[in-house]
Amino acid sequence: MCVELEILILKSGKKKYEIARELDWHPSKLSAILSEVYEPSTIEKEDVAVVLGCRVDEAFPTKRRESSHV
C-alpha cells in the first residue's frame, strides 16, 4: 500500500471518490494506485500532487531497496 499517499488523502479531508472526480479518473484507478497495482505516470503523479496540495515526492516517495546481508 502507498502509505504516504493514503495519509495525504486523509489529511486533505477529501473522500477518495472526490479526488478521483477532480482528476477526472474512475475511482478504481486511484484505488489501484493506492494498492500499488498500477504505477502512475509522471504526469498522473503531478496531477495528484496538485489536487492534494503537496509535492510529488511527498505523495510518491522513492522506495529504498533493502540490501540482503549474506
Side-chain angles (χ1 to χ4, degrees):
M1 173 171 278
C2 191
V3 176
E4 294 83 3
L5 181 56
E6 186 77 42
I7 290 169
L8 288 168
I9 290 171
L10 289 171
K11 286 182 177 180
S12 76
K14 299 177 184 180
K15 303 288 184 194
K16 292 174 189 167
Y17 71 86
E18 294 171 323
I19 293 168
R21 186 180 308 137
E22 285 185 56
L23 293 164
D24 200 25
W25 292 354
H26 191 278
S28 64
K29 182 174 182 176
L30 183 57
S31 178
I33 291 169
L34 286 165
S35 61
E36 298 181 333
V37 172
Y38 173 77
E39 177 64 32
S41 70
T42 300
I43 293 172
E44 290 170 330
K45 289 178 181 181
E46 290 170 355
D47 291 343
V48 170
V50 168
V51 168
L52 293 176
C54 67
R55 296 187 324 264
V56 173
D57 66 324
E58 290 177 301
F60 301 96
T62 305
K63 297 197 191 297
R64 289 176 268 149
R65 295 182 186 255
E66 293 182 23
S67 59
S68 58
H69 300 285
V70 180

